[in-house]
Amino acid sequence: MRAVQLSSFGGPEVLQVVDVAEPSPAEGTAVFTVRAAGINYADTHATEDSYLAKQQLPLIPGGEVVVELPESGRGLALVGTGGYAERIALAPAQIIPVPSGVSDPAALACLVQGASAWHLLRTSTHLSPGETVVVHAAAGGVGSIAVQLAKHWGAGRVIATASSADKRRLALELGADVAVDSRAEDLTAALKQANGGKGVDVVLEMTGGSVFDQSLAALAPFGRLAVYGMAGRSEPSPVRPTTLMAHSTAVIGFWLAHTVRRPGMLAAAITDLFGLVAAGTIRPVIGGRYTLDTVADAHRELLARTSTGKLFLDPTAR
């Protein structure tokens, strides 16, 4: 079968389309045809071996798939690796049925990115009605859903940040009350100005470096900053306990992989999101569709921060 595989770690250039052996199902698993695979920012870390989970070579990237099920059904699964291929071996217990009112790319948007947005707001920061939420990278996969969920759950004000006018316009269309240029020289001041001169209650942050530092400085007393990525590839300044105590603020880390270890956490988010998408309450922003041969282009767009919404791979297309 055809798959995207890398034999050395590096940038998009290491993603090569090759013919590999059919997956061999272990006990309790079966082989399924991949209809679509999600392309996530974390995949760019996987190809570099620079993320939280260490990778092994040879590697077929891709952590989420929609597969064909017997009797014409469709299923969604979080797989870790192996998604950038025509077929994959899975345990049936991993698979969540996809309802008819949810498309393949919309289903993928509900998994890594949608469930992350759901748990960042619900589980990590415990968003309360009336609070102000800052969503960085608001036109991206996580951000575009987080903006909509925050409004749906009663946020008093949603402040979106993005690097281009088009992305800020999209964030406003999705329900953000204010859109701020993420490249502002004084981001702390810009966030507070967008909140009427006051500190903000919740920040969802995935860049690192100075964006983290300035977002932490923008928090109001009892504010919470949830960090779920390091897209900027640079570490923020050390966080001192006295800094947190001085304003009764909190910094919370989030990695979706941990929800898998607690039965029901991932399924609860996916089930809720499927219902919201089918009802039209949440609109996943679907970005580019890529083939096995062009998936490296998707990685380049992610690294250049030029992509919008959910990118996905169609392994059946040429």
Side-chain angles (χ1 to χ4, degrees):
M1 70 171 185
R2 298 177 81 232
V4 173
Q5 188 180 70
L6 53 148
S7 55
S8 62
F9 294 117
E13 72 282 353
V14 303
L15 297 168
Q16 302 294 323
V17 181
V18 297
D19 287 316
V20 299
E22 292 283 334
S24 299
E27 183 178 354
T29 70
V31 175
F32 297 87
T33 296
V34 177
R35 292 174 55 98
I39 304 172
N40 296 301
Y41 198 90
D43 297 347
T44 69
H45 280 292
T47 64
E48 299 171 348
D49 195 23
S50 62
Y51 207 46
L52 297 173
K54 302 304 290 181
Q55 306 296 324
Q56 293 184 335
L57 297 172
L59 173 68
I60 298 176
E64 55 183 1
V65 292
V66 173
V67 297
E68 295 276 4
L69 297 179
E71 301 178 3
S72 302
R74 296 174 298 139
L76 178 69
L78 187 66
V79 297
T81 61
Y84 292 8
E86 292 179 323
R87 284 172 289 283
I88 192 168
L90 297 173
Q94 292 177 258
I95 299 173
I96 302 171
V98 178
S100 59
V102 179
S103 68
D104 289 352
L108 289 168
C110 291
L111 189 46
V112 170
Q113 291 155 327
S116 292
W118 196 97
H119 278 296
L120 283 163
L121 291 169
R122 272 275 196 256
T123 308
S124 297
T125 62
H126 302 283
L127 174 66
S128 294
E131 290 190 311
T132 298
V133 179
V134 173
V135 180
H136 288 302
V142 175
S144 59
I145 292 179
V147 165
Q148 297 177 77
L149 284 176
K151 292 300 291 185
H152 177 64
W153 288 335
R157 174 169 290 198
V158 174
I159 301 169
T161 78
S163 59
S164 71
D166 286 344
K167 290 183 176 183
R168 293 192 290 275
R169 190 176 304 112
L170 172 61
L172 293 171
E173 291 172 0
L174 293 173
D177 298 286
V178 187
V180 172
D181 190 338
S182 60
R183 301 164 301 177
E185 184 174 346
D186 188 342
L187 186 58
T188 298
L191 294 177
K192 288 184 176 181
Q193 182 180 6
N195 196 36
K198 301 178 296 182
V200 301
D201 300 305
V202 170
V203 179
L204 307 186
E205 206 288 290
M206 42 65 70
T207 301
S210 64
V211 175
F212 177 100
D213 296 336
Q214 294 187 79
S215 297
L216 182 60
L219 289 178
F222 300 104
R224 292 88 70 202
L225 186 154
V227 56
Y228 65 99
M230 289 288 292
R233 270 31 179 211
S234 63
E235 292 283 349
S237 302
V239 177
R240 299 179 181 277
T242 51
T243 300
L244 303 180
M245 292 171 60
H247 301 284
S248 297
T249 51
V251 175
I252 305 135
F254 176 80
W255 189 24
L256 186 68
H258 292 128
T259 67
V260 180
R261 303 174 191 174
R262 297 197 177 193
M265 281 189 77
L266 186 62
I270 300 300
T271 300
D272 190 26
L273 287 163
F274 277 171
L276 292 170
V277 170
T281 305
I282 298 295
R283 175 174 69 87
V285 177
I286 308 304
R289 171 178 172 268
Y290 299 85
T291 68
L292 291 170
D293 297 297
T294 61
V295 72
D297 293 335
H299 279 228
R300 292 185 185 97
E301 291 183 24
L302 286 167
L303 290 167
R305 308 293 291 275
T306 57
S307 65
T308 298
K310 181 63 184 177
L311 309 186
F312 71 101
L313 168 68
D314 180 354
T316 68
R318 294 294 181 106

